[in-house]
Amino acid sequence: MIGLLVYALAHHILPLHVRLDSLLLVMQLNGVYHVHNQVLFRKYLQVKLLVREFETITFSHVPKAQNNYVDTIANNILDWHLSHVYHNRQP
């Protein structure tokens, strides 16, 4: 999430609509639920600081069943990145 927001700001994508398959995260970002975990709360605060930089930003929930295609692409990108980063590291 933080990387997405930083990328959007760097590319001047100031009105932004973020769709997430985690209803809990959407509710937390929209201020409906509180973040209780201290580690996650620090990340939450980082996100909230970044959110202030946007002209408008919205967070909405997309059910997991409707998000399979995007989830598969994201997992493939993560797998590729991890295999290349860790495989190409010099000791």
Side-chain angles (χ1 to χ4, degrees), residues 6 51 56 67 70 78 86 90:
V6 169
V51 162
T56 59
N67 200 34
V70 173
L78 288 171
Y86 290 112
Q90 299 295 326

Side-chain angles (χ1 to χ4, degrees), residues 7-20:
Y7 179 90
L9 288 170
H11 290 85
H12 307 288
I13 304 169
L14 300 179
L16 184 65
H17 181 76
V18 182
R19 297 173 188 198
L20 302 160

Side-chain angles (χ1 to χ4, degrees), residues 62-80:
V62 176
K64 190 84 164 164
Q66 295 176 9
N67 200 34
N68 285 337
Y69 179 70
V70 173
D71 197 42
T72 299
I73 292 171
N75 285 332
N76 289 339
I77 291 169
L78 288 171
D79 290 344
W80 181 91

Side-chain angles (χ1 to χ4, degrees), residues 2-90:
I2 292 170
L4 167 76
L5 298 178
V6 169
Y7 179 90
L9 288 170
H11 290 85
H12 307 288
I13 304 169
L14 300 179
L16 184 65
H17 181 76
V18 182
R19 297 173 188 198
L20 302 160
D21 63 13
S22 169
L23 182 57
L24 174 61
L25 183 55
V26 169
M27 298 298 256
Q28 289 170 331
L29 292 171
N30 287 330
V32 177
Y33 294 161
H34 296 285
V35 179
H36 297 288
N37 180 289
Q38 288 183 355
V39 174
L40 295 179
F41 187 71
R42 285 188 211 115
K43 298 288 185 191
Y44 170 80
L45 290 178
Q46 290 177 319
V47 169
K48 292 310 259 184
L49 285 173
L50 290 167
V51 162
R52 298 167 109 191
E53 302 297 320
F54 289 87
E55 293 171 5
T56 59
I57 187 166
T58 56
F59 300 98
S60 65
H61 178 246
V62 176
K64 190 84 164 164
Q66 295 176 9
N67 200 34
N68 285 337
Y69 179 70
V70 173
D71 197 42
T72 299
I73 292 171
N75 285 332
N76 289 339
I77 291 169
L78 288 171
D79 290 344
W80 181 91
H81 178 73
L82 289 173
S83 69
H84 283 75
V85 168
Y86 290 112
H87 185 269
N88 294 326
R89 276 193 173 169
Q90 299 295 326

